Amino acid sequence: MYYNESKLTELVLIMNKREIVKEKTRDLILKTAKEIFSHNGFLTTNTLSIARECGIAHGTLFLHFKNKETLISTIFKNELIRIANELYRITEESKNMENLLDSYLLFLENDESFFVITAKEFPFYPEKLKNEILNVEVIIRNFFYRMIEDGINAGIYKELDITDTIAFLFGTINYYLTHKELIVFDGSVINSKKESIKSIFYKLLQE
Amino acid sequence: MEEKICESCGMPMRKKEEFGGGRFDNRYCVHCTDEEGNLKPFKVKLEEMKNFIASRMDLSEEKALQMAKENMSKMPAWKNYF
């Protein structure tokens, strides 16, 4: 025995503390990176400026994320978990398209600068990153797909091509995000357009 | 109850009917298994995954197939196929 019980307890506590510090650093990197990406975009931001803003060594950043792509794809995955849990809850509890669309638009509005810049830069992302982001969108779109499918089966919505209908909705949202500066002088483009997005989309489903 | 993730497609499984064969101890979800809860063959799953992605995103078959392969290559159930 190299350690008596109190030594062991001490060791466990030190290890836990290390884990906590590691977790906190990881969270700080993610939060800071998201803020910087939201202002300056992903393409022109380098990992050194993120590390500096965090007050950590450049090398420390790579202990947590192997490169800039991993960093942004982790941000997207975290965002996905947040919105998917909310959309799942709505699907289970209310089965209400209005709540689903409201919740998704609010999610975009609350982090609009981040989604605006990623919508603009998306065509220039490396293919692997593009695929990872598309996969996030597959899961989000699936909530809408299922809700429309259920509505058609229940006779609430007319028979329509669900894939095209969803593409129409997400394409419109993407257009507003990509061309935000052309549409609103300041403030949120999603906020200014959400009522028309919603009313046109419901009409499309029902008429 | 702790949320489980399907080891074939990554879908979160919470309710009984979301687990393959309606059994909580199944590692795979209802979409990745047959009626008895057994994992579907690789080719069948790849085709289903491709169609799923294509229908949600309005993508070409080729692009959807590429994404389906990329997704499945990361899943424990299919690691020996890549």
Side-chain angles (χ1 to χ4, degrees):
Chain A
M1 277 290 277
Y2 292 95
Y3 294 102
N4 60 29
E5 201 171 304
S6 70
K7 272 273 184 210
L8 264 179
T9 314
E10 202 180 310
L11 198 65
V12 168
L13 284 174
I14 291 169
M15 283 170 71
N16 282 345
K17 204 176 162 191
R18 267 188 204 152
E19 283 302 309
I20 292 166
V21 170
K22 206 175 157 191
E23 188 82 22
K24 273 191 175 170
T25 309
R26 187 185 149 86
D27 288 349
L28 175 70
I29 297 169
L30 286 171
K31 189 170 168 272
T32 311
K34 192 176 158 195
E35 274 167 22
I36 297 179
F37 290 152
S38 301
H39 285 104
N40 307 335
F42 167 77
L43 295 170
T44 55
T45 301
N46 56 46
T47 47
L48 182 63
S49 61
I50 297 170
R52 276 192 186 142
E53 191 64 31
C54 291
I56 58 168
H58 198 193
T60 308
L61 188 142
F62 295 109
L63 293 177
H64 295 268
F65 302 96
K66 72 175 179 193
N67 52 34
K68 199 168 69 159
E69 281 77 16
T70 317
L71 195 48
I72 198 166
S73 76
T74 309
I75 295 172
F76 266 101
K77 278 172 200 155
N78 288 349
E79 293 297 311
L80 170 68
I81 292 168
R82 208 154 61 85
I83 187 63
N85 281 337
E86 175 68 7
L87 298 181
Y88 180 85
R89 190 186 58 75
I90 293 169
T91 312
E92 288 299 300
E93 285 173 11
S94 68
K95 298 198 187 299
N96 183 320
M97 177 61 89
E98 266 185 83
N99 292 351
L100 197 69
L101 192 48
D102 266 338
S103 172
Y104 181 58
L105 293 172
L106 187 64
F107 164 77
L108 294 177
E109 189 186 330
N110 286 341
D111 256 329
E112 197 170 288
S113 346
F114 179 72
F115 294 113
V116 162
I117 211 128
T118 43
K120 282 181 198 290
E121 288 189 333
F122 182 83
F124 310 104
Y125 285 169
E127 191 164 18
K128 192 168 169 277
L129 179 59
K130 266 189 191 169
N131 287 353
E132 284 180 5
I133 297 173
L134 286 175
N135 273 318
V136 167
E137 203 168 315
V138 168
I139 296 167
I140 293 172
R141 286 193 188 201
N142 187 40
F143 286 102
F144 289 88
Y145 191 102
R146 289 253 173 87
M147 192 76 92
I148 297 174
E149 196 173 45
D150 287 351
I152 294 173
N153 292 338
I156 303 166
Y157 301 143
K158 65 180 176 191
E159 295 270 346
L160 35 70
D161 185 304
I162 307 177
T163 305
D164 288 348
T165 309
I166 303 252
F168 187 80
L169 173 67
F170 280 74
T172 303
I173 294 172
N174 194 45
Y175 172 83
Y176 287 138
L177 290 174
T178 312
H179 300 288
K180 178 178 175 171
E181 292 81 4
L182 307 177
I183 302 157
V184 290
F185 182 68
D186 54 14
S188 159
V189 71
I190 295 293
N191 186 278
S192 96
K193 288 291 173 187
K194 68 181 173 192
E195 291 311 319
S196 67
I197 294 173
K198 279 153 57 178
S199 78
I200 293 170
F201 188 62
Y202 301 144
K203 275 184 194 154
L204 186 70
L205 293 176
Q206 281 154 356
E207 271 173 15
Chain B
M1 211 195 99
E2 195 195 337
E3 182 180 293
K4 290 191 175 163
I5 303 286
C6 170
E7 292 184 17
S8 160
C9 73
M11 185 185 98
M13 300 184 289
R14 302 165 173 101
K15 294 181 296 181
K16 196 175 175 225
E17 59 266 33
E18 289 169 342
F19 288 78
R23 294 194 317 267
F24 279 122
D25 63 347
N26 203 328
R27 289 182 287 159
Y28 310 116
C29 75
V30 64
H31 306 294
C32 292
T33 51
D34 60 21
E35 283 174 12
E36 278 90 48
N38 300 312
L39 186 64
K40 289 175 183 173
F42 174 73
K43 275 191 174 175
V44 173
K45 217 34 240 176
L46 182 62
E47 181 73 11
E48 285 182 3
M49 183 81 88
K50 181 196 78 181
N51 292 339
F52 175 77
I53 293 171
S55 68
R56 268 52 175 177
M57 295 300 292
D58 215 357
L59 298 173
S60 69
E61 285 220 358
E62 292 77 6
K63 181 69 191 168
L65 181 64
Q66 183 210 17
M67 285 176 61
K69 281 182 177 168
E70 222 174 277
N71 287 351
M72 287 173 76
S73 68
K74 293 177 194 155
M75 301 311 300
W78 312 112
K79 61 178 188 286
N80 295 334
Y81 289 79
F82 293 91

